[in-house]
Amino acid sequence: ADAQKTVLAGEWSDAGEPVTTVASSFFFVKGPRAGNEAASVEVWKFTSGAWRRENFDVAVGDMIGGVKKVKTGDDDDSKSKVDVDFSTGAVVLDLRFNDKIKVRNAPSKDGTISYRELQSLTLVYYDPADGQVKEKNAITDKDDAMRKKLEKSSG
């Protein structure tokens, strides 16, 4: 009889432990592509129980990621490759090659913090997860904590 009801009333319960989730894909800016107005990005996707990465070249107006054949087994048999969708939904809005980025130096002996200015590729993109325009650059993505964690987990 309850299956026919739209709403079932019941007692409230105490809140449980918080639940957190991790995104199923990440991307990082690697640097400019030689000879053209494009950038190289590394996209990580969680699929078939493991993190996998592929590189993509993107230009202004391109969506970051795409479908690629990925080896899923330990052998080199092409039959063990499957299509994996590395699409992030993010769209490249601008590429700034030689953007000046302030990078923090290690603290001095007296604890003073200083910065240095380096040139880097900055990729401006639309993030569909929250509808905002964001930017990433090759210098900070190189040492990104999540990227290091993904590299470590992939062996």
Side-chain angles (χ1 to χ4, degrees):
D2 284 345
Q4 302 301 319
K5 296 179 183 176
T6 305
V7 176
L8 295 175
E11 296 297 317
W12 284 97
S13 63
D14 292 334
E17 293 296 314
V19 176
T20 58
T21 61
V22 176
S24 64
S25 67
F26 295 93
F27 77 90
F28 304 96
V29 179
K30 292 178 67 176
R33 291 300 303 159
N36 58 22
E37 295 291 309
S40 176
V41 296
E42 178 181 87
V43 179
W44 289 80
K45 177 74 174 189
F46 190 78
T47 183
S48 301
W51 283 101
R52 303 181 194 287
R53 72 174 148 193
E54 286 293 327
N55 293 317
F56 295 86
D57 291 343
V58 295
V60 173
D62 289 348
M63 187 172 293
I64 297 172
V67 177
K68 284 202 176 179
K69 286 218 177 279
V70 174
K71 185 174 81 165
T72 58
D74 292 332
D75 59 359
D76 289 328
D77 183 14
S78 64
K79 292 178 185 174
S80 68
K81 289 188 175 184
V82 296
D83 285 337
V84 174
D85 188 357
F86 288 88
S87 299
T88 63
V91 178
V92 180
L93 301 177
D94 191 20
L95 294 170
R96 297 192 308 255
F97 295 90
N98 303 321
D99 208 10
K100 292 181 180 174
I101 307 295
K102 281 190 175 183
V103 179
R104 188 172 133 171
N105 293 320
S108 65
K109 291 179 183 177
D110 66 358
T112 305
I113 296 174
S114 63
Y115 295 87
R116 65 187 186 281
E117 210 170 71
L118 300 173
Q119 287 188 329
S120 179
L121 164 66
T122 297
L123 184 146
V124 181
Y125 65 100
Y126 167 76
D127 186 348
D130 58 12
Q132 294 187 9
V133 174
K134 299 178 179 177
E135 59 184 46
K136 296 169 79 63
N137 65 67
I139 286 178
T140 54
D141 274 4
K142 179 180 71 172
D143 295 321
D144 185 89
M146 178 54 78
R147 185 179 189 190
K148 288 181 183 278
K149 184 177 179 180
L150 292 167
E151 287 173 342
K152 189 175 183 178
S153 73
S154 71

